[in-house]
Amino acid sequence: MQRALRNTVQSSTIVSVIRNGNESMDISSEDLVPGDVIEIPRNGCLMQCDAVLITGSCIVNESMLTGESVPVTKTPIPNPRLTHEDSRMMFRPKDHGRHILFCGTHVIQTRFYGGHKVKAVVFRTGFSTAKGELVRSILYPKPVDFRFNRDTYKFVGILAGVAFVGFVYTIVLMVNRGDAAGDIALRALDLITIAVPPALPAALTVGIVFAQSRLKTARIYCISPRSINVCGGINTVCFDKTGTLTEDGLDMHSVVPVNDEKFEPGITHLNLLPRCKFMTGMATCHSLTIIDGVLSGDPLELIMFESIGWELKEPTMEEGSNFDMICPTIVYPKSSSLVQSADLTSGNVVNSEEVGIVRQFTFSSSLQRMSVIVRRLGAEHFEIFTKGAPEMIASLCVTDTVPDDFHDILMSYTRHGFRVLALAYKPLPEKLKYPKLQRIEREQVERGLTFLGLIVMENRLKPETTPVIRDLKDANIRPIMVTGDNMLTALSVARECFFAEENEKIILVQVFPAQYNANGDVMEQAHVEYVYTDPRTDKKANRMHKEKQFDMLPMELRDAELGTGKKYHFAVTGKSWSLLRESFPELIDKIVVRGTIFARMSPDQKAQLVECLQDLGYYVGMCGDGANDCGALKTAHAGISLSEAEASVASPFTSKTPNISCVPTTIREGRAALVTSFGIFKYMACYSLTQFVSVLLLYWVGVNLTDYEFLYIDLFLLTTLSITFGRTHAYHRLHKVPPLVRLTSLAPVLSLTLQMAIIIAVQVFFYFIIKREPWYIEYVDDPEEDYDYMSYENTAVYISSSYQYIILAIVFSKGKPYRKSMFTNYFFLVNLFICIGITAWINIYPTDPVAEFFELMLPSSIPYRLLFLGVAGINLLLCMLLEEYILDSHYVSVTLQSKLDKCIPGSKLKYETVEEDLQMASAWPPVKSEDLAGTFARMDSAFLSSKTSLNEQDNYSLSESETGSQNEYDQEKSPNASPNDIKLSGVSNTAFEQDETYNNGNTSTKL
C-alpha cells in the first residue's frame, strides 16, 4: 500500500509560470512557490498545486478529492477592490472553493474570453495542498478512541505489576539460596518477559487481518485496519440519502409552472411545455459541458436538459463574436418551430432561438442554489436564472410572485418522496455591461427574483435499503438519516424504509429566530416549537386542530400519542440545527438522542452531528456516496464510502458495491474481529500467567523450563493456535446485543481470574502429587551443570501446562452469536488435532531421542502418564462449563454488570442517562398539532423578517450609469481605496489588475 500511495502522490510536470512582470517561462511544478501566477493549458492538465483562478474559467474533475465524478465549473475569483465592498475581503479556501483549482484534480478544459489566457495564483504547495492533506490523513489517520484499546494498556499494566511481584519473589528466593548475582538478575528479568508477552500486539492484529481479507472478498476495502475493531462496537449509523439510500439516477416526473402568481396543473409530458421563461431556465440553468463530444455533468441537470429537447453547443472563438468578445455556451431548441401559448404570450414568450450563457454562479451546498446569467441573441439586456432548493429560491423571490399555496404544493410532492427544485429569474438592467457582469457578486443579483415554478423528479429507493435498515434496527443499531435534501422528502423516505415504524411518531423541531424591530430591539425571543409531522386521524385531534391550530395538546392526548417512555423521533432541519447550537445548547443532547431525520444539512453540519453523537458516547458509523460527506466520513468512528473515486482513501472503508448492504457486512466483520481480539487477548494474558506460574513453581526447587520446552510452547503451540484462532468467519446475522468493548467489564475480569484459578490448581496438583510416587527422585542441583533441569517437577509442570495452552485456545474461541462455530474453522481444527496429538505423544510414549531433546524425566508407569491426559480432559470440561454457562450468562453479563455500574460513578454512558431522563419526562416535548405547510411558511417568514437590512453598498442600484470610468466608481464607493489595499493572501494582484484594465477598456462594447 505504501508503494502504491507513493506512486499516486509523487508526480511532477512542466508548467508555464509568469514571473518578472509579464514574462512567461516553463519550470518544473516542483519549483512552484506561493505567489506564482501560472497559465492553465487550454486542453487541461493535472493540477500540481492549489491555485486560485483569476481569469477565465475551467471545467474540473474533482473526484480525487470529493468522490463526485461529475465535472464542476470553476470561475475566476472576484476582485474585491473592484466590487461594492469597501472593507477588506479576506480570502478563505473554505468560502471560495468554487474559485480554487485543487492539487490532484484534473482540469478537463478551459474557457476564456478575448485573447486572454486562463491564469491562476498559486497559494499552497506540497503537503499543504488539499491533496497533501488527504495523503497525510492516510499516512497518519485520526486516532480512534476505542475503549478496548485503552483497556489493553490497563491490563498490560496489571501484568507488569504481576511481573514485579514475581521479580521480587525470585530475588528473595535465590538470595536465600545463595545463588550468584548474575543468575539472580537473569532469572528475575526473565520473569518480566514471561509475564508481559512481547507478542501481544502482533497477536491482536490476527483477527483484524483476517477480517480485512474477508471484507476485501465482499468488495469492501479498508485502508485503516484498526477501524475494523471499532466497527464491532458501532451502535449508530448515519446515512446520506441521495445516492446512498436512493438510486443515483433520477427520472423527470413533471414540471409545475407558475402563471399569474398561481400554480398551473403539473405537466408530465414536457413536449407540451411552451417555450417560455420556464423552459429557458431549464435549458440554461445548469453546469453541463461537452467533453470529448459527449454532454457531461450532474445527472439531475442532464435529465432536466434532455427532457426539453434542446441542444447545447460550445462555439469556437469565431462563432462567439456574435456575443461580443466572449465565448459562451449556447443552447437552442432542436426544432425551430415556435410553440405559442395564449396564456403565456404577454411578454413571457422567447422569440429568439439561441441563448448564450455568459456567466455561472456555481452550485454551493451552503447556499443551496446555482445561477446563470444569460442573454438571448439580439436582446438588449441580460437575465439571471436561479435554480435550487424550493424554500431557498422562494426566499429570494419577490413575495407577490410566490403562490400562496407554495408550501401546500411543495409538500404534496415531497411527502411522496419526489425531489423538487424551484426555478426563478429576473431581467437585469440594460446598462449592466459585461465587465461589470464579471465582477458582480452573486448576492447582488440573486434577489428580487420572479418565481417561475417547480421541477419535480422521482428518486427511488434502492432495493437493498429497506431490508438493511430492518436488519440494523433488529440488531438495536440506530439508523439516522442526514441529508441535504428537503425535509418532507426525507420524512417520506424515512417512513418508506422504516427509519421510523408506523406506530412511532415523528416530531418536527422548529427553532424560530429572534425578531427585531427597526431600532434593533428584540420584539420576540428565539423559541422552539415541536410539531407532529404525520396527519392526525383521530376525531378529537382533528376537532382540536380546527379550533385551536396552534394550541398545545392536552396532557392526556399527548400521553396517548407519545406515552411515558414510548418511542418517538425528532426531525430537524439545518437552519434549526444551527439555531439550536447557538441559542439552545441545553437541548442538543435530547434532540440528538431522539433525532432520526436531519434534513437540509450542510457538510459541516453533518460532521457536527457526528461529533455530538460521539460526545454522547455513541460509536458512530457514517455511510455516504462521497459527495459532500467527506467531513462526516472522516469524523465518524467508521466511515464507509460508496464512491469508487480516489477520494475513498479519505474514508476508512470503501465499498465497490454502491448500496448500503456493505454496512451490516462491515459491522458483522467488525464484531467478529472484536470478539477475536477479546479472545486472543485473554488467551495471551492467560498464556503469560500460565507460564509465569509454571516458572515460579519450578524456581522453588531451583529448576526451570528447558530451552526446547520454551520453544515448543512459544513457537509451536502459541504461534500456530493464535494465528488459526482468528480465521473463524463472522456469524451470518447481527445479534441484538452488541459484543463487549470493555476489557474491564465484569465478565472478562471474572473469566481471566477464574480460568487462571483452575490453571493454577491443576499445575499445583501435579507439582505436589508427583512427589508422593514411590519412583520419585528429588532434584539435586549439580554445580557443574548450569542448565541441567531434568526432573520430575519439570516434567509434571511442563506436560500439564502444555495441555492447558491448548485448552485455553478452545475455551476462548467462541462462536455464535458473533462468530461461526469453531468447527467451521478447518485450519483451527486441524491445528488443534496436531497440537493435541504431538503433546499426547510427548506425554505418553515419546521416543528416547525426543525425551532427551526436551530433557524430560518421564514416569515409568504408563497409566500414570495417562493421568495427565485425563486431568487435562477434566480441566477442559471445567473451563468450558465456567465460560459458556456462567461467565457468558445473562445474569453475569447484564444483571451483575448493571448493578456494578450503578455503584461506580461515571460508568454509565451519557446517552443512556439522557434517554432515561426522556423516558421519565412525560410532559416533554410540548407538541403542537399543525399543518406542516403552515409550519414551514411561518418558519420561512420568521427567517426572512429576522434578516438584517442590507447596507448602503448592497442598495446600490444596478440601473445606475455604468459608462463612467472604473476609477471613478472605485472612488465613489471607497474614496481611500488603492490598488494595493486588498491582496490575495499577500500575493500581488498584477495579473488581476491587467485583466481588469483590459475589461475596462472594452466597457463601451455593445453586449
Side-chain angles (χ1 to χ4, degrees):
M1 175 185 171
Q2 297 289 344
R3 186 181 295 110
L5 180 62
R6 179 178 177 273
N7 294 335
T8 301
V9 173
Q10 193 175 43
S11 63
S12 64
T13 187
I14 302 298
V15 297
S16 296
V17 60
I18 300 174
R19 291 177 177 173
N20 302 325
N22 202 28
E23 180 182 347
S24 179
M25 62 182 71
D26 293 338
I27 64 172
S28 170
S29 59
E30 295 177 350
D31 297 327
L32 287 173
V33 296
D36 279 339
V37 178
I38 60 174
E39 298 177 10
I40 310 299
R42 182 173 183 179
N43 58 350
C45 63
L46 183 67
M47 291 300 297
Q48 304 295 329
C49 60
D50 285 354
V52 183
L53 197 62
I54 58 173
T55 64
S57 62
C58 297
I59 298 172
V60 186
N61 185 341
E62 292 189 327
S63 61
M64 188 268 181
L65 295 178
T66 65
E68 179 59 72
S69 59
V70 177
V72 296
T73 300
K74 297 290 185 175
T75 57
I77 191 169
N79 189 343
R81 185 176 60 84
L82 302 175
T83 61
H84 68 286
E85 299 283 349
D86 77 338
S87 61
R88 291 180 63 88
M89 177 184 290
M90 301 302 295
F91 169 75
R92 297 181 180 87
K94 185 176 180 181
D95 298 334
H96 298 91
R98 61 184 180 272
H99 311 299
I100 299 175
L101 303 175
F102 291 103
C103 179
T105 61
H106 182 212
V107 178
I108 301 171
Q109 65 185 47
T110 60
R111 309 278 296 280
F112 56 94
Y113 57 88
H116 262 204
K117 298 177 180 179
V118 179
K119 303 174 186 176
V121 176
V122 177
F123 75 97
R124 288 190 304 210
T125 60
F127 277 100
S128 298
T129 64
K131 183 178 180 180
E133 292 175 359
L134 179 60
V135 173
R136 281 186 295 176
S137 71
I138 301 169
L139 293 175
Y140 310 103
K142 182 189 72 173
V144 179
D145 184 21
F146 192 43
R147 187 66 178 267
F148 173 79
N149 296 335
R150 283 180 283 154
D151 287 349
T152 57
Y153 301 131
K154 295 179 182 179
F155 265 92
V156 169
I158 294 173
L159 293 176
V162 173
F164 178 75
V165 173
F167 181 82
V168 174
Y169 164 87
T170 303
I171 292 176
V172 173
L173 186 65
M174 297 185 71
V175 166
N176 291 336
R177 202 161 47 217
D179 291 334
D183 292 340
I184 296 175
L186 186 64
R187 295 283 184 87
L189 293 174
D190 194 27
L191 265 183
I192 296 177
T193 62
I194 292 173
V196 183
L200 179 60
L204 288 176
T205 63
V206 170
I208 296 174
V209 170
F210 288 125
Q212 186 176 15
S213 176
R214 292 192 295 269
L215 285 171
K216 186 176 180 181
T217 303
R219 294 171 54 83
I220 301 171
Y221 298 88
C222 176
I223 63 167
S224 178
R226 59 183 177 180
S227 297
I228 295 177
N229 267 354
V230 182
C231 288
I234 285 178
N235 51 19
T236 299
V237 183
C238 298
F239 293 95
D240 179 39
K241 183 184 76 67
T242 306
T244 303
L245 299 174
T246 59
E247 296 283 1
D248 288 324
L250 293 169
D251 295 326
M252 177 62 73
H253 180 267
S254 62
V255 296
V256 189
V258 170
N259 185 33
D260 293 334
E261 291 78 47
K262 294 181 180 179
F263 280 113
E264 293 187 341
I267 302 174
T268 55
H269 300 287
L270 297 193
N271 57 336
L272 301 177
L273 181 67
R275 290 194 191 132
C276 54
K277 294 296 183 186
F278 193 96
M279 179 173 282
T280 304
M282 293 181 67
T284 58
C285 197
H286 54 72
S287 56
L288 301 179
T289 186
I290 296 175
I291 301 174
D292 296 330
V294 179
L295 189 64
S296 304
D298 187 282
L300 182 149
E301 294 179 339
L302 275 172
I303 293 168
M304 178 185 73
F305 184 77
E306 292 173 350
S307 68
I308 58 175
W310 281 47
E311 294 279 1
L312 182 142
K313 184 178 181 181
E314 293 177 341
T316 62
M317 287 294 297
E318 291 77 13
E319 293 172 322
S321 62
N322 289 333
F323 294 85
D324 302 315
M325 297 308 299
I326 61 173
C327 190
T329 296
I330 300 173
V331 294
Y332 55 91
K334 292 180 180 179
S335 172
S336 60
S337 61
L338 185 62
V339 179
Q340 297 286 346
S341 176
D343 56 353
L344 291 174
T345 55
S346 58
N348 197 30
V349 175
V350 178
N351 295 313
S352 181
E353 298 294 327
E354 296 184 359
V355 182
I357 304 172
V358 298
R359 186 174 181 191
Q360 277 187 13
F361 295 109
T362 54
F363 175 77
S364 169
S365 57
S366 59
L367 298 178
Q368 298 178 342
R369 64 183 184 269
M370 74 158 294
S371 298
V372 291
I373 296 178
V374 305
R375 199 198 74 186
R376 277 186 294 114
L377 183 60
E380 295 296 326
H381 60 81
F382 294 96
E383 296 174 316
I384 181 171
F385 287 88
T386 302
K387 172 177 86 333
E391 303 94 330
M392 175 59 69
I393 299 302
S395 69
L396 298 173
C397 291
V398 177
T399 307
D400 293 340
T401 66
V402 181
D404 294 336
D405 57 348
F406 166 77
H407 286 284
D408 292 321
I409 297 298
L410 176 62
M411 189 170 62
S412 68
Y413 286 104
T414 54
R415 187 181 288 281
H416 292 90
F418 292 107
R419 186 166 184 183
V420 184
L421 298 174
L423 194 62
Y425 100 107
K426 181 176 72 172
L428 299 178
E430 291 185 15
K431 294 179 180 180
L432 179 63
K433 305 304 180 184
Y434 182 75
K436 173 63 177 176
L437 199 67
Q438 294 301 314
R439 296 189 300 271
I440 202 166
E441 296 287 337
R442 66 189 299 171
E443 290 78 10
Q444 289 181 272
V445 289
E446 289 181 336
R447 66 182 188 216
L449 305 176
T450 298
F451 193 81
L452 292 178
L454 302 175
I455 303 170
V456 184
M457 295 184 177
E458 187 176 8
N459 192 201
R460 294 181 298 276
L461 277 179
K462 292 181 179 179
E464 300 84 4
T465 296
T466 301
V468 168
I469 298 300
R470 279 289 195 194
D471 290 344
L472 293 178
K473 294 188 71 174
D474 289 343
N476 288 329
I477 296 173
R478 177 185 170 198
I480 296 176
M481 184 190 300
V482 191
T483 177
D485 210 342
N486 179 280
M487 170 57 78
L488 293 173
T489 303
L491 289 170
S492 173
V493 173
R495 284 295 189 191
E496 190 175 352
C497 57
F498 299 102
F499 274 76
E501 299 294 335
E502 293 181 3
N503 62 339
E504 295 174 347
K505 294 295 181 182
I506 300 178
I507 300 172
L508 178 66
V509 181
Q510 292 278 65
V511 185
F512 290 81
Q515 302 297 312
Y516 301 89
N517 59 20
N519 298 324
D521 299 326
V522 178
M523 297 172 56
E524 183 180 357
Q525 295 288 350
H527 63 283
V528 184
E529 292 184 3
Y530 305 90
V531 183
Y532 284 118
T533 62
D534 301 293
R536 305 296 299 265
T537 57
D538 55 286
K539 295 181 179 179
K540 184 176 181 180
N542 285 333
R543 185 175 66 252
M544 291 184 60
H545 176 68
K546 293 178 182 178
E547 294 176 355
K548 293 184 177 182
Q549 184 176 9
F550 302 107
D551 286 350
M552 298 293 180
L553 292 177
M555 184 67 72
E556 61 272 13
L557 181 58
R558 180 170 61 251
D559 289 343
E561 291 283 348
L562 296 177
T564 303
K566 285 191 176 181
K567 184 66 175 177
Y568 57 88
H569 304 265
F570 285 132
V572 186
T573 62
K575 287 181 179 178
S576 294
W577 173 261
S578 296
L579 285 175
L580 277 172
R581 288 170 53 87
E582 178 183 341
S583 304
F584 302 95
E586 70 278 2
L587 294 178
I588 285 288
D589 289 350
K590 294 181 180 180
I591 300 299
V592 169
V593 166
R594 287 290 179 95
T596 300
I597 299 126
F598 295 85
R600 291 292 189 224
M601 298 284 279
S602 68
D604 286 344
Q605 289 173 332
K606 291 182 180 182
Q608 290 168 6
L609 174 62
V610 171
E611 289 178 353
C612 287
L613 288 165
Q614 291 173 332
D615 292 341
L616 287 169
Y618 288 104
Y619 286 102
V620 187
M622 172 71 194
C623 184
D625 60 357
N628 298 327
D629 298 318
C630 292
L633 288 169
K634 289 181 180 179
T635 305
H637 287 105
I640 307 174
S641 171
L642 302 185
S643 169
E644 294 190 22
E646 293 180 62
S648 58
V649 295
S651 176
F653 299 93
T654 301
S655 173
K656 298 297 182 181
T657 304
N659 58 65
I660 64 171
S661 61
C662 60
V663 173
T665 301
T666 305
I667 295 176
R668 284 192 291 106
E669 292 295 347
R671 288 185 171 187
L674 181 59
V675 171
T676 299
S677 295
F678 257 85
I680 287 183
F681 183 88
K682 291 197 292 184
Y683 178 61
M684 294 295 293
C686 286
Y687 143 75
S688 298
L689 294 174
T690 299
Q691 198 170 81
F692 179 77
V693 170
S694 300
V695 172
L696 288 183
L697 286 172
L698 295 177
Y699 276 4
W700 188 260
V701 294
V703 300
N704 197 357
L705 295 173
T706 66
D707 291 341
Y708 293 112
E709 288 173 344
F710 272 122
L711 284 175
Y712 178 78
I713 294 171
D714 294 344
L715 292 184
F716 180 65
L717 294 180
L718 178 73
T719 303
T720 60
L721 289 173
S722 60
I723 291 176
T724 56
F725 184 102
R727 292 190 68 94
T728 306
H729 286 217
Y731 196 61
H732 64 274
R733 200 168 54 242
L734 286 172
H735 190 54
K736 283 183 174 292
V737 181
L740 291 173
V741 296
R742 295 186 300 169
L743 277 171
T744 54
S745 297
L746 183 61
V749 173
L750 282 178
S751 176
L752 288 172
T753 305
L754 297 179
Q755 294 291 357
M756 281 309 304
I758 296 174
I759 295 296
I760 294 172
V762 171
Q763 288 196 31
V764 171
F765 168 78
F766 278 112
Y767 178 83
F768 287 105
I769 199 69
I770 202 170
K771 294 183 177 183
R772 297 185 179 183
E773 298 302 321
W775 35 261
Y776 169 75
I777 301 175
E778 187 176 354
Y779 172 76
V780 178
D781 187 16
D782 187 353
E784 296 182 0
E785 294 288 341
D786 291 336
Y787 298 102
D788 181 14
Y789 299 138
M790 185 178 289
S791 64
Y792 283 114
E793 290 91 345
N794 171 280
T795 301
V797 171
Y798 167 68
I799 296 296
S800 61
S801 65
S802 294
Y803 284 117
Q804 288 175 332
Y805 299 121
I806 302 172
I807 291 168
L808 290 171
I810 296 173
V811 170
F812 293 140
S813 182
K814 297 182 180 180
K816 185 179 178 181
Y818 307 114
R819 304 200 312 167
K820 291 184 178 179
S821 169
M822 74 173 186
F823 296 106
T824 63
N825 185 349
Y826 300 116
F827 289 93
F828 186 60
L829 286 179
V830 171
N831 192 10
L832 283 176
F833 285 131
I834 292 173
C835 291
I836 293 172
I838 294 177
T839 303
W841 173 56
I842 294 174
N843 168 28
I844 299 171
Y845 206 82
T847 61
D848 291 340
V850 171
E852 291 178 6
F853 180 80
F854 286 104
E855 300 180 39
L856 294 176
M857 184 179 288
L858 292 168
S860 56
S861 172
I862 297 296
Y864 192 88
R865 298 180 189 180
L866 291 173
L867 178 63
F868 287 96
L869 189 60
V871 174
I874 297 172
N875 189 348
L876 173 63
L877 181 62
L878 288 175
C879 291
M880 289 292 291
L881 291 174
L882 175 66
E883 194 74 19
E884 294 290 332
Y885 297 102
I886 298 178
L887 299 177
D888 287 346
S889 67
H890 184 272
Y891 179 76
V892 173
S893 59
V894 177
T895 307
L896 286 182
Q897 183 67 53
S898 299
K899 292 180 179 179
L900 184 63
D901 289 342
K902 292 179 180 178
C903 299
I904 302 176
S907 61
K908 184 175 292 187
L909 294 171
K910 189 175 180 181
Y911 75 84
E912 293 177 339
T913 303
V914 175
E915 182 63 42
E916 288 181 0
D917 293 342
L918 290 175
Q919 294 276 348
M920 300 301 296
S922 59
W924 193 90
V927 191
K928 287 183 177 181
S929 178
E930 179 185 357
D931 181 65
L932 279 186
T935 302
F936 289 128
R938 290 195 302 112
M939 185 74 167
D940 292 344
S941 176
F943 270 94
L944 187 63
S945 61
S946 68
K947 292 180 180 177
T948 57
S949 61
L950 298 170
N951 58 39
E952 291 183 0
Q953 258 71 20
D954 287 336
N955 285 329
Y956 176 71
S957 173
L958 296 178
S959 62
E960 291 183 20
S961 174
E962 294 284 335
T963 58
S965 69
Q966 187 64 47
N967 291 333
E968 292 173 351
Y969 173 79
D970 288 337
Q971 280 197 332
E972 178 187 351
K973 294 301 168 197
S974 182
N976 299 322
S978 68
N980 297 320
D981 277 347
I982 299 178
K983 300 294 183 183
L984 180 61
S985 298
V987 176
S988 173
N989 289 3
T990 305
F992 214 157
E993 292 159 8
Q994 290 172 352
D995 178 58
E996 294 299 333
T997 304
Y998 175 85
N999 290 339
N1000 297 338
N1002 288 277
T1003 53
S1004 61
T1005 305
K1006 176 72 172 176
L1007 291 181

